[in-house]
């Protein structure tokens, strides 16, 4: 199979999966187009590899969109940095506007940032219903989900302490 044939096949499968996700979506979601659902799924894909968390991650982003809160997700910053990304995100990177930096733009970025899995498409189209507005890595491969900034900041401190202890070993 040629590379072009493989890409066409993948594109056809993605279009079919996206159409199915769009048809089966929760109609109350804040997406206006299938492309927005695809963009959300791509962000979910980059945020977690833990299948059981995808619906919660989606709920955080949907909850933020509904209240006009920025998504503030690192994978969009990394994507917007392109070749400038060297493995670390600085405060300056978070503050530097790009079309994809969801710390500086409201809503979804203009296009997907990755090819999402079926699981991420499902999470984007049928997210869990939660009160969460925040999440941060828990240092054990998953995330801690919280409803308010004070709890989130505490979870961030716990995560940073775990990283510090791990680096000291």
């Amino acid at each position: 199979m040629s590379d072009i044939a493989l890409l066409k096949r993948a594109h056809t499968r993605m279009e079919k999966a996206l159409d199915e996700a769009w048809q089966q979506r929760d109609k109350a979601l804040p997406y206006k187009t299938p492309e927005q659902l695809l963009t959300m799924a791509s962000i979910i894909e980059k945020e977690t590899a833990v299948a059981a968390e995808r619906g919660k991650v989606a709920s955080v982003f949907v909850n933020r969109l509904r209240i006009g809160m920025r998504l503030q997700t690192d994978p969009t910053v990394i994507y917007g940095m392109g070749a400038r990304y060297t493995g670390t995100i600085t405060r300056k990177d978070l503050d530097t506007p790009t079309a994809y930096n969801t710390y500086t733009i409201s809503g979804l970025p203009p296009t997907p940032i990755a090819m999402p899995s079926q699981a991420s498409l499902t999470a984007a189209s049928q997210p869990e219903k939660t009160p969460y507005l925040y999440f941060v890595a828990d240092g054990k491969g998953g995330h801690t989900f919280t409803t308010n900034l004070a709890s989130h900041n505490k979870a961030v401190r716990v995560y940073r302490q775990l990283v510090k202890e791990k680096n000291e070993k």
Side-chain angles (χ1 to χ4, degrees):
M1 179 181 287
S2 73
D3 54 351
I4 297 297
L6 180 66
L7 289 172
K8 285 181 179 179
R9 183 175 168 194
H11 183 259
T12 299
R13 288 184 70 184
M14 176 57 70
E15 284 182 325
K16 183 176 186 246
L18 177 58
D19 183 58
E20 289 172 5
W22 182 253
Q23 297 308 318
Q24 296 171 4
R25 78 190 184 286
D26 175 346
K27 303 292 192 257
L29 290 171
Y31 316 133
K32 293 181 175 87
T33 66
E35 290 74 22
Q36 288 182 337
L37 188 148
L38 183 64
T39 297
M40 177 63 80
S42 75
I43 295 169
I44 295 163
E45 185 72 23
K46 295 304 280 184
E47 273 294 355
T48 186
V50 179
E53 288 189 350
R54 286 190 175 112
K56 283 182 190 163
V57 168
S59 78
V60 169
F61 293 140
V62 166
N63 291 342
R64 284 177 168 226
L65 286 173
R66 285 187 172 138
I67 64 171
M69 188 175 178
R70 289 187 174 157
L71 298 183
Q72 297 181 319
T73 174
D74 293 355
T76 64
V77 175
I78 292 166
Y79 189 84
M81 290 174 70
R84 290 185 300 114
Y85 179 65
T86 60
T88 305
I89 301 173
T90 65
R91 170 53 56 189
K92 181 181 176 193
D93 297 326
L94 298 178
D95 294 337
T96 301
T98 72
Y100 292 87
N101 184 347
T102 56
Y103 283 82
T104 63
I105 64 166
S106 296
L108 292 164
T111 66
I113 62 167
M115 180 179 280
S117 63
Q118 181 63 53
S120 292
L121 282 168
T122 299
S125 65
Q126 300 168 21
E128 290 183 27
K129 293 182 180 5
T130 75
Y132 301 130
L133 290 173
Y134 302 91
F135 64 92
V136 65
D138 63 10
K140 302 169 193 156
H143 294 86
T144 300
F145 294 84
T146 53
T147 59
N148 60 69
L149 187 56
S151 296
H152 174 68
N153 288 340
K154 181 179 177 186
V156 169
R157 284 192 299 275
V158 168
Y159 171 72
R160 287 183 177 157
Q161 183 63 36
L162 285 170
V163 169
K164 181 180 175 188
E165 289 170 6
K166 190 184 248 184
N167 288 339
E168 290 174 352
K169 289 183 180 179

Coordinates of all heavy atoms in Angstrom, one line a residue, residues 11-41:
H11 N -8.0 8.9 6.4 CA -8.9 10.1 6.3 C -10.4 9.6 6.2 O -11.3 10.2 6.8 CB -8.5 11.0 5.1 CG -9.3 12.2 5.1 ND1 -10.3 12.4 4.2 CD2 -9.3 13.4 5.8 CE1 -10.9 13.5 4.4 NE2 -10.2 14.2 5.3
T12 N -10.6 8.6 5.3 CA -12.0 8.1 5.2 C -12.5 7.6 6.5 O -13.7 7.8 6.8 CB -12.0 7.1 4.0 OG1 -11.6 7.7 2.8 CG2 -13.4 6.5 3.8
R13 N -11.7 6.8 7.2 CA -12.1 6.2 8.4 C -12.4 7.3 9.5 O -13.3 7.2 10.3 CB -11.1 5.2 9.0 CG -11.0 3.9 8.1 CD -10.1 2.9 8.7 NE -10.6 2.4 10.0 CZ -10.0 1.6 10.7 NH1 -8.8 1.1 10.4 NH2 -10.5 1.2 11.9
M14 N -11.5 8.4 9.5 CA -11.7 9.5 10.4 C -13.0 10.2 10.1 O -13.8 10.5 11.0 CB -10.5 10.4 10.4 CG -10.7 11.7 11.3 SD -11.0 11.3 13.1 CE -9.4 10.7 13.5
E15 N -13.3 10.4 8.9 CA -14.5 11.1 8.5 C -15.8 10.3 9.0 O -16.7 10.9 9.5 CB -14.6 11.3 7.0 CG -13.8 12.5 6.5 CD -13.9 12.7 5.0 OE1 -14.1 11.7 4.2 OE2 -13.9 13.8 4.6
K16 N -15.7 9.0 8.8 CA -16.8 8.1 9.2 C -17.0 8.1 10.7 O -18.1 8.3 11.2 CB -16.6 6.7 8.7 CG -17.7 5.7 9.0 CD -17.5 4.3 8.4 CE -18.7 3.5 8.7 NZ -18.4 2.4 9.5
A17 N -15.9 8.0 11.4 CA -15.9 8.0 12.9 C -16.4 9.4 13.4 O -17.2 9.4 14.4 CB -14.5 7.7 13.5
L18 N -16.0 10.5 12.8 CA -16.4 11.8 13.2 C -17.9 11.9 12.9 O -18.6 12.5 13.8 CB -15.6 12.9 12.5 CG -16.1 14.3 12.8 CD1 -16.0 14.6 14.3 CD2 -15.2 15.3 12.0
D19 N -18.4 11.5 11.8 CA -19.8 11.6 11.5 C -20.6 10.8 12.5 O -21.6 11.3 13.0 CB -20.1 11.1 10.1 CG -21.5 11.2 9.7 OD1 -22.0 12.4 9.7 OD2 -22.2 10.2 9.4
E20 N -20.2 9.6 12.9 CA -20.9 8.8 13.9 C -20.9 9.5 15.2 O -21.9 9.6 15.9 CB -20.3 7.4 14.0 CG -20.6 6.6 12.8 CD -19.8 5.2 12.8 OE1 -19.1 4.9 13.8 OE2 -19.9 4.5 11.8
A21 N -19.8 10.0 15.6 CA -19.7 10.8 16.9 C -20.6 12.0 16.9 O -21.3 12.3 17.9 CB -18.2 11.2 17.2
W22 N -20.6 12.7 15.8 CA -21.5 13.9 15.7 C -23.0 13.5 15.8 O -23.7 14.2 16.5 CB -21.2 14.6 14.4 CG -22.0 15.9 14.2 CD1 -23.0 16.1 13.4 CD2 -21.8 17.1 14.9 NE1 -23.5 17.4 13.5 CE2 -22.7 18.0 14.5 CE3 -20.9 17.5 15.9 CZ2 -22.8 19.3 14.9 CZ3 -21.0 18.8 16.4 CH2 -21.9 19.7 15.9
Q23 N -23.3 12.4 15.1 CA -24.7 12.0 15.1 C -25.1 11.5 16.5 O -26.3 11.7 16.9 CB -25.0 10.9 14.1 CG -24.8 11.3 12.7 CD -25.5 12.5 12.3 OE1 -26.7 12.7 12.6 NE2 -24.8 13.4 11.5
Q24 N -24.2 11.0 17.3 CA -24.5 10.4 18.6 C -24.2 11.4 19.8 O -24.3 11.0 20.9 CB -23.7 9.1 18.8 CG -24.1 8.0 17.8 CD -23.2 6.8 17.9 OE1 -22.3 6.7 18.7 NE2 -23.5 5.9 17.0
R25 N -23.8 12.6 19.4 CA -23.4 13.5 20.5 C -24.5 13.9 21.4 O -25.7 13.9 21.0 CB -22.7 14.8 19.8 CG -23.8 15.7 19.3 CD -23.1 16.8 18.5 NE -24.1 17.8 18.0 CZ -24.9 17.7 17.0 NH1 -25.0 16.5 16.4 NH2 -25.8 18.6 16.7
D26 N -24.2 14.4 22.5 CA -25.1 15.1 23.4 C -25.4 16.4 22.7 O -24.5 17.2 22.5 CB -24.4 15.3 24.8 CG -25.3 16.1 25.8 OD1 -26.3 16.7 25.4 OD2 -24.9 16.1 27.0
K27 N -26.7 16.6 22.4 CA -27.1 17.8 21.6 C -26.9 19.1 22.4 O -26.9 20.2 21.8 CB -28.5 17.7 21.2 CG -28.8 16.4 20.3 CD -28.2 16.5 19.0 CE -28.7 15.4 18.1 NZ -27.9 14.2 17.9
A28 N -26.7 19.0 23.7 CA -26.5 20.2 24.5 C -25.1 20.7 24.6 O -24.8 21.7 25.2 CB -27.0 19.9 26.0
L29 N -24.2 20.0 23.9 CA -22.8 20.4 23.9 C -22.6 21.7 23.2 O -23.3 22.0 22.2 CB -21.9 19.3 23.2 CG -21.8 18.0 24.0 CD1 -21.1 16.9 23.2 CD2 -21.0 18.2 25.3
P30 N -21.5 22.5 23.6 CA -21.3 23.8 23.0 C -20.5 23.8 21.7 O -19.7 24.7 21.4 CB -20.5 24.5 24.1 CG -19.8 23.4 24.8 CD -20.7 22.2 24.7
Y31 N -20.7 22.7 20.9 CA -20.0 22.7 19.6 C -21.0 23.0 18.5 O -22.1 22.5 18.5 CB -19.4 21.3 19.2 CG -18.7 20.5 20.3 CD1 -19.1 19.2 20.6 CD2 -17.7 21.1 21.1 CE1 -18.4 18.5 21.6 CE2 -17.1 20.4 22.1 CZ -17.4 19.1 22.4 OH -16.8 18.4 23.3
K32 N -20.5 23.8 17.5 CA -21.4 24.2 16.4 C -21.2 23.3 15.2 O -22.1 23.3 14.4 CB -21.2 25.7 16.1 CG -21.6 26.7 17.1 CD -21.3 28.1 16.7 CE -21.8 29.1 17.7 NZ -20.9 29.4 18.7
T33 N -20.1 22.7 15.1 CA -19.8 21.9 13.9 C -19.1 20.6 14.3 O -18.5 20.5 15.4 CB -18.8 22.7 13.0 OG1 -17.5 22.8 13.7 CG2 -19.4 24.0 12.6
P34 N -19.1 19.6 13.4 CA -18.3 18.4 13.7 C -16.8 18.7 13.8 O -16.1 18.0 14.6 CB -18.6 17.5 12.4 CG -19.8 18.0 11.8 CD -19.9 19.5 12.2
E35 N -16.3 19.7 13.1 CA -14.9 20.0 13.2 C -14.5 20.5 14.6 O -13.4 20.2 15.1 CB -14.6 21.1 12.2 CG -14.6 20.6 10.7 CD -16.0 20.4 10.1 OE1 -17.0 21.0 10.7 OE2 -16.1 19.6 9.2
Q36 N -15.4 21.2 15.3 CA -15.2 21.6 16.6 C -15.1 20.4 17.6 O -14.3 20.3 18.5 CB -16.2 22.6 17.1 CG -16.1 24.0 16.5 CD -17.1 25.0 17.0 OE1 -18.2 24.6 17.6 NE2 -16.8 26.2 16.9
L37 N -16.0 19.4 17.3 CA -15.9 18.2 18.1 C -14.6 17.5 17.9 O -14.0 17.0 18.8 CB -17.1 17.3 17.7 CG -17.3 16.0 18.6 CD1 -18.8 15.7 18.7 CD2 -16.5 14.9 18.1
L38 N -14.2 17.4 16.6 CA -12.9 16.8 16.3 C -11.7 17.5 17.0 O -10.8 16.9 17.5 CB -12.7 16.8 14.8 CG -11.4 16.1 14.3 CD1 -11.4 14.7 14.6 CD2 -11.3 16.4 12.8
T39 N -11.8 18.9 17.0 CA -10.7 19.6 17.7 C -10.7 19.3 19.2 O -9.7 19.1 19.8 CB -10.9 21.1 17.5 OG1 -10.8 21.4 16.1 CG2 -9.9 22.0 18.2
M40 N -11.9 19.3 19.8 CA -12.0 18.9 21.2 C -11.4 17.5 21.5 O -10.7 17.3 22.4 CB -13.4 19.0 21.7 CG -13.6 18.5 23.2 SD -12.7 19.5 24.4 CE -13.9 20.9 24.5
A41 N -11.8 16.5 20.6 CA -11.3 15.2 20.8 C -9.8 15.1 20.7 O -9.1 14.4 21.4 CB -11.9 14.3 19.7

